[in-house]
Amino acid sequence: MMAESEFEIIRRYFTPHGPRRDDVLAGVGDDAAIVRVPPDRDLVLCMDTLVAGVHFPVATEPAAIGHKALAVNLSDLAAMGAEPAWATLALTLPESDGAWLERFSRGFLELAERYRLQLIGGDLSRGPLSITVEAHGFVVPGKAMRRRGARPGDLVCVTGSLGDAGLALELGEQAPARLRRRLEYPEPRIAAGLVLREHASAAIDVSDGLLADLAHLLEPDGLGAALQIDALPRSPEFTAALPAGPRGDALSLDLPLSGGDDYELCFCLPQGLQAPVAALLGAVSCALTPVGVIEAQPGIRCYYPDGRRYSPRATGYQHFGHEGR
Ligand SMILES: [Mg+2]
């Protein structure tokens, strides 16, 4: 706890704003929160930590840090097909900097507002900047998506576009604003997750790169996949911002396969469901792209359109000692 009144900081920056839910019986301000899970729902929990200098540059705009700390957790809820409800926040700060806290809380609470998520508690400490969020959501019993469950022959699909955040990192200051926004203010695919939980055989969010996250989805069932690299969805901004020449050609393949931080969903669909599910996702403004097919043989194989194999140069971003954000 910080000497300079933890209570005062929470009261000033975090509690006057954000949604109020009537399933929160006691939120910030008591020793612990009290919440009520609807009788016909299961509770889904996830937690993620962002550390300055590891997960984001120290000088990142505080509103972007606040947004992203919540967004990466909502992305995990989306991958389960859960509807967000509550979150707790543990914030470790080098000093109590009012301007920083004001912007951080704005980024966090603006995203919370959009999903009717209420911040119900937390903790403040002094130390190197790091942010831990635990998010809570609901699923209809038996309806949550899992990593396991895919079958050989299922289509491997992704939402939206891949590689934007990776290209923003690669280009740094030169990155166009739209790509930087993908990196700094990722949009969790909550609406898509709620649609997909009725149809997908398995799902995961793409936080560490498609190859790494798809491998996490395949491993529990001992399955493999064949991917068509020309099918990977790339945004117009991605294609326009690629450097010319061989470096651009390499990035055009490597970033959609291995770039992290896009927070799209990778999911599997039984054959025949592509058109109806694409229509349902279209209704929530989300594109569906089939990129490959599940195979019984373990491992991920990538193919050019002419059938030649492509060997990716990297499999994905690895945080030390970490598995499956
Ligand atoms: Mg995840």
Side-chain angles (χ1 to χ4, degrees), residues 76 147 204-205 207 324-325:
D76 280 330
R147 293 180 179 186
I204 190 168
D205 68 320
S207 53
R325 226 168 62 193

Side-chain angles (χ1 to χ4, degrees), residues 180-204:
R180 265 218 311 282
R181 201 164 168 84
R182 272 308 293 275
L183 176 65
E184 294 182 345
Y185 294 88
E187 270 307 315
R189 290 291 191 183
I190 293 292
L194 296 179
V195 168
L196 290 172
R197 74 180 181 190
E198 304 292 333
H199 308 284
S201 51
I204 190 168

